[in-house]
């Protein structure tokens, strides 16, 4: 029988009446307003950015090029040949940007250091004017009551380092750079992230060629690059431990692939856990276990990385926290294959935000935290990035009404609340990003900011999402 809408209503009313007959419902169930989804006291709300995406000032005060300067200036590599030469000019406008953070009410700000500003040649002589810029940024943040969280490496590798990540020496150079920065800033900075998103600066840069340095190397060469990247992370951790003020916290910011079980039953949840371990074997798994999984070594065979004695111990150096960048889900289901799971294909109709890779799946924020916690029990977890691109426009009233971004964020933060309420050790959330910026190979064509940036005038205008996030922070709850 086809049920019309009216009949459905009647049926529902009838069922409800029958079900409630003779039952006295407690009054408050109807009278009380639903509680907001509140976060634990002291939850760290923040925003994130990265040096090459916002700073500009690329040849100022002794800075030398990074591989992203070279790559973006190579014809055909970025959207319309756009570069980070000016970007948001945060090199000069940092006080204005910190005022934006202050208006949002954030507790913390995650930004990265341009390695070649501080060590123009990558190693050797530091450039004091480079460090001075970050001293000014840190002091201005503290003056405004905002805790600085520093990422040491967000892809802008000094061009001068011979061979880039193809060379083991680069890992060592990173250790020296981490030692220098933590020695000079840890009196005021309590949290350091070594690297940001391994796949983006290894696989996408050296295998797919879509990011700097734009190479298309073989699997064996890429596995070796991945190994040097995680070795650099480990050397960075050890350098920070040896040089920073005691109590300084160290972790990383990683876009681990996030596997969401198609259904929440024990079998599917276990499959998602297995997938998390194997799917992240070259990076997060190696770091948190101090070894490569048997599955990874078997799969790669002769292409597996050459590992020197002592490397895995350095790579597995204990961390104070794990940072997870949460964007896009992979759905998994248990099966009888050797791995015990299969990753579901995505249909053509699967929705995404303005970036075509940014598939919408708010549960990633919950499962990122849960899978990593269940597998490796880190002491603390931060979401180090979450946010989205949208086709933002300034309307005739001068407003940017990015309700799609609000929808995206509200759903992710609701999922994060679920993780917090189940007792997972989630300490903070960094929204990507404070403002529109240089979106790598997409140039300025994809906007991720809470603030709209007019790239001609550099004027920043808060979007509706900035108002919304201000409320979330003020209430410490989903609004
Ligand atoms: C992250 N993908 O990059 C980076 O950490 C940021 O610098 C960047 O601006 C932000 O996310 C938005 O893109 C990613 O293709 C770039 O899956 C590409 C992918 C994921 C993350």
């Amino acid at each position: 029988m086809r049920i019309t809408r009216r009949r459905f209503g009647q049926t529902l009313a009838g069922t409800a009446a029958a079900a409630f007959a003779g039952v006295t419902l407690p009054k408050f169930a109807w009278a009380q307003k639903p509680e907001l989804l509140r976060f634990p006291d002291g939850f760290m709300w923040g925003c994130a950015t990265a040096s090459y995406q916002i700073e500009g000032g690329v040849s100022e005060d002794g800075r030398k090029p990074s591989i992203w300067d070279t790559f973006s200036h190579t014809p055909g590599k970025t959207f319309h040949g756009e570069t980070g030469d000016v970007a948001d000019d945060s090199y000069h406008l940092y006080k204005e940007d910190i005022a934006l953070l202050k208006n949002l009410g954030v507790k913390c700000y995650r930004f990265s250091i341009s390695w070649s500003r501080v060590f123009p040649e990558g190693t050797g002589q530091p450039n004091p004017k480079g460090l001075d810029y970050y001293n000014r940024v840190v002091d201005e943040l503290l003056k405004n009551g905002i805790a600085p969280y520093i990422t040491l490496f967000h892809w802008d590798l000094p061009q001068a380092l011979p061979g880039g990540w193809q060379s083991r020496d680069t890992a060592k150079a990173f250790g020296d750079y981490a030692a220098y920065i933590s020695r000079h800033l840890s009196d005021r900075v309590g949290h350091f992230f070594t690297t940001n998103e391994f796949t983006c600066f290894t696989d996408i840069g050296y295998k797919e060629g879509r990011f700097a340095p734009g190479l298309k190397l073989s699997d064996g060469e890429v596995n070796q690059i991945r190994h040097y990247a995680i070795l650099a992370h480990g050397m960075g951790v050890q350098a920070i431990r040896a040089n920073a003020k005691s109590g300084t916290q160290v972790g990383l910011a990683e876009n681990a692939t996030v596997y969401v079980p198609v259904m929440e039953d024990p079998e599917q949840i276990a499959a998602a856990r297995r997938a998390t371990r194997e799917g992240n074997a070259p990076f997060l798994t190696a770091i948190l276990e101090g070894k490569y999984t048997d599955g990874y070594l078997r799969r790669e065979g002769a292409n597996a990385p050459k590992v020197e004695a002592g490397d895995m111990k350095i790579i597995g150096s204990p961390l104070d926290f794990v940072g997870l960048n949460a964007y896009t889900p992979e759905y998994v289901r248990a099966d009888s294959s050797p791995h015990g799971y299969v990753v579901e294909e995505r249909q053509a109709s699967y929705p995404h935000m303005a970036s075509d890779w940014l598939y919408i799946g708010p549960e990633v924020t919950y499962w990122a935290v849960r899978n990593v916690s269940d597998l490796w029990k880190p002491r603390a977890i931060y979401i180090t990035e979450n946010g989205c691109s949208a086709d933002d426009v300034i309307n005739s009233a001068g407003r940017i009404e990015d309700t799609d971004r609000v929808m995206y964020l509200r759903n992710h933060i609701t999922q994060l609340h679920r993780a917090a309420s189940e007792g997972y050790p989630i300490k903070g959330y960094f929204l990507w990003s404070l403002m529109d910026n240089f979106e790598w190979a997409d140039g300025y064509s994809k906007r991720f900011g809470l603030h709209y940036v007019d790239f001609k005038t550099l004027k920043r205008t808060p979007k509706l999402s900035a108002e919304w996030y201000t409320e979330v922070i003020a209430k410490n709850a989903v609004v």
Side-chain angles (χ1 to χ4, degrees):
M1 184 186 68
R2 220 178 122 242
I3 300 182
T4 61
R5 197 183 283 194
R6 164 129 13 114
R7 269 194 73 102
F8 178 72
Q10 286 165 355
T11 316
L12 203 66
T15 317
F20 292 155
V23 180
T24 332
L25 280 174
K27 281 227 174 54
F28 65 82
W30 302 100
Q32 204 178 52
K33 277 216 290 212
E35 261 298 315
L36 286 177
L37 299 176
R38 255 176 231 297
F39 280 75
D41 287 346
F43 191 79
M44 296 296 279
W45 296 104
C47 284
T49 62
S51 45
Y52 191 69
Q53 296 184 270
I54 65 162
E55 285 180 2
V58 289
S59 347
E60 253 164 279
D61 296 330
R63 181 188 181 276
K64 288 217 175 152
S66 73
I67 59 173
W68 266 96
D69 295 79
T70 310
F71 183 77
S72 64
H73 279 271
T74 307
K77 299 298 184 191
T78 64
F79 178 82
H80 289 180
E82 289 168 348
T83 74
D85 285 0
V86 178
D88 293 325
D89 199 25
S90 207
Y91 190 69
H92 299 107
L93 302 179
Y94 69 94
K95 285 194 180 166
E96 194 178 313
D97 294 336
I98 293 170
L100 302 178
L101 289 163
K102 173 94 175 162
N103 287 339
L104 291 169
V106 296
K107 318 277 180 234
C108 49
Y109 177 46
R110 171 179 173 240
F111 62 100
S112 82
I113 290 190
S114 158
W115 181 346
S116 62
R117 233 183 244 300
V118 184
F119 286 93
E121 304 296 333
T123 52
Q125 272 308 103
N127 166 32
K129 286 189 175 164
L131 182 67
D132 278 352
Y133 170 62
Y134 298 106
N135 273 319
R136 291 195 294 278
V137 171
V138 165
D139 291 342
E140 184 72 14
L141 285 166
L142 293 174
K143 204 170 96 189
N144 285 283
I146 300 165
Y149 280 55
I150 286 182
T151 311
L152 290 168
F153 182 69
H154 200 126
W155 312 353
D156 42 358
L157 189 73
Q159 181 64 62
L161 288 171
W165 286 111
Q166 288 179 268
S167 167
R168 190 179 169 94
D169 290 342
T170 293
K172 216 188 138 288
F174 178 75
D176 296 342
Y177 156 66
Y180 180 83
I181 297 291
S182 59
R183 199 169 334 115
H184 286 89
L185 296 181
S186 64
D187 57 333
R188 287 154 293 150
V189 177
H191 296 79
F192 289 89
F193 305 95
T194 52
T195 49
N196 179 73
E197 299 196 347
F198 290 112
T199 43
C200 291
F201 72 89
T202 59
D203 293 44
I204 304 185
Y206 288 85
K207 185 175 177 174
E208 295 175 36
R210 286 190 292 119
F211 284 179
L215 302 179
K216 293 189 174 161
L217 303 180
S218 68
D219 288 352
E221 290 168 301
V222 172
N223 285 335
Q224 200 59 43
I225 286 165
R226 292 163 159 190
H227 181 70
Y228 294 150
I230 60 172
L231 183 63
H233 153 81
M235 289 179 166
V237 174
Q238 298 203 346
I240 294 168
R241 299 260 186 252
N243 288 277
K245 193 177 121 185
S246 86
T248 303
Q249 308 244 312
V250 192
L252 80 176
E254 175 58 340
N255 62 331
T257 305
V258 180
Y259 297 93
V260 175
V262 284
M263 277 167 262
E264 291 201 15
D265 63 41
E267 204 194 341
Q268 310 306 326
I269 291 170
R273 236 180 354 251
R274 283 196 293 279
T276 302
R277 186 163 179 272
E278 276 313 320
N280 295 294
F283 304 121
L284 195 61
T285 307
I287 287 170
L288 295 179
E289 298 188 7
K291 66 183 185 62
Y292 289 120
T293 65
D294 296 341
Y296 175 64
L297 295 175
R298 205 178 324 112
R299 279 195 300 283
E300 298 302 326
N303 290 328
K306 316 270 172 298
V307 177
E308 291 187 14
D311 283 3
M312 297 315 294
K313 188 145 193 283
I314 297 172
I315 289 167
S317 300
L319 301 178
D320 298 302
F321 59 85
V322 171
L324 298 169
N325 295 357
Y327 287 102
T328 280
E330 296 292 341
Y331 291 91
V332 284
R333 149 175 79 78
D335 81 347
S336 56
S337 66
H339 281 329
Y341 68 87
V342 61
V343 178
E344 300 284 12
E345 274 176 36
R346 233 185 276 281
Q347 300 208 108
S349 57
Y350 196 102
H352 62 79
M353 296 300 293
S355 306
D356 54 12
W357 57 268
L358 191 39
Y359 296 106
I360 300 169
E363 319 92 296
V364 309
T365 300
Y366 171 74
W367 285 101
V369 174
R370 175 158 173 189
N371 288 333
V372 168
S373 279
D374 288 354
L375 275 166
W376 298 298
K377 315 255 176 313
R379 268 177 268 172
I381 295 183
Y382 289 86
I383 294 296
T384 30
E385 282 181 31
N386 172 240
C388 66
S389 47
D391 294 333
D392 304 313
V393 287
I394 303 190
N395 67 16
S396 53
R399 289 171 51 79
I400 302 104
E401 297 180 348
D402 56 339
T403 50
D404 48 352
R405 180 174 288 103
V406 172
M407 171 275 290
Y408 179 99
L409 294 170
R410 181 187 285 120
N411 282 305
H412 278 265
I413 293 176
T414 299
Q415 291 285 328
L416 184 62
H417 180 271
R418 178 182 172 198
S421 68
E422 291 177 9
Y424 290 102
I426 176 77
K427 304 294 177 205
Y429 171 91
F430 294 88
L431 198 155
W432 186 273
S433 183
L434 171 63
M435 56 194 164
D436 299 336
N437 56 48
F438 177 73
E439 177 55 14
W440 307 112
D442 288 330
Y444 298 97
S445 68
K446 294 288 180 282
R447 295 176 177 274
F448 276 80
L450 290 178
H451 295 87
Y452 184 93
V453 177
D454 177 332
F455 291 106
K456 291 203 181 71
T457 62
L458 297 177
K459 182 167 185 262
R460 286 94 159 115
T461 307
K463 303 177 190 175
L464 176 63
S465 55
E467 290 176 44
W468 177 82
Y469 194 45
T470 307
E471 275 298 298
V472 169
I473 298 170
K475 297 217 163 72
N476 196 31
V478 183
V479 293

